Amino acid sequence: MGKIEREKAVVGQMIRIYCHGKEGNRELCEDCRELLAYALGCLDRCPFGDRKTSCRRCKVHCYRPSMRVRIAAVMRYSGPRMMLHNPLEALRHLLLG
């Protein structure tokens, strides 16, 4: 699995954790589906491809400011909880991201 595909899986899982845990939804709500589609689109268009760094360290900011605020809230909530849901992927994301 390439880095972009792995990033897509991680961001999807983090958004699901957020929507379920923070918002209490069993399925992704419309706002979270919109955020996920936006994030996946940004990853598809990443100019660095599989050589990308984590988005927070990137010099090119693909996210428009309003979406950057939303994804940051998701990451703050879901990041620590990833260790419970998928510890291997959480460590990989932290160390290699």
Side-chain angles (χ1 to χ4, degrees):
M1 180 184 292
K3 191 161 190 173
I4 295 291
E5 293 305 314
R6 194 174 304 119
E7 287 283 323
K8 286 180 179 182
V10 169
V11 76
Q13 188 169 23
M14 291 182 105
I15 291 172
R16 282 187 290 283
I17 290 169
Y18 178 86
C19 194
H20 177 73
K22 182 81 170 179
E23 297 178 350
N25 301 316
R26 287 189 180 272
E27 301 292 325
L28 286 181
C29 66
E30 183 61 35
D31 286 342
C32 289
R33 280 194 304 269
E34 176 190 12
L35 181 60
L36 178 58
Y38 183 82
L40 296 178
C42 286
L43 286 167
D44 283 337
R45 293 184 299 277
C46 180
F48 301 105
D50 281 340
R51 296 183 329 265
K52 76 180 283 319
T53 63
S54 69
C55 293
R56 75 171 179 262
R57 294 184 199 141
C58 189
K59 304 255 186 259
V60 178
H61 293 292
C62 303
Y63 283 67
R64 63 181 183 254
S66 63
M67 293 303 238
R68 196 175 314 156
V69 168
R70 288 174 62 188
I71 199 70
V74 167
M75 298 294 172
R76 265 192 311 277
Y77 179 85
S78 300
R81 289 160 179 85
M82 279 289 289
M83 290 302 283
L84 298 173
H85 292 272
N86 193 341
L88 181 61
E89 199 58 47
L91 287 172
R92 182 181 291 141
H93 185 69
L94 285 172
L95 296 174
L96 302 177

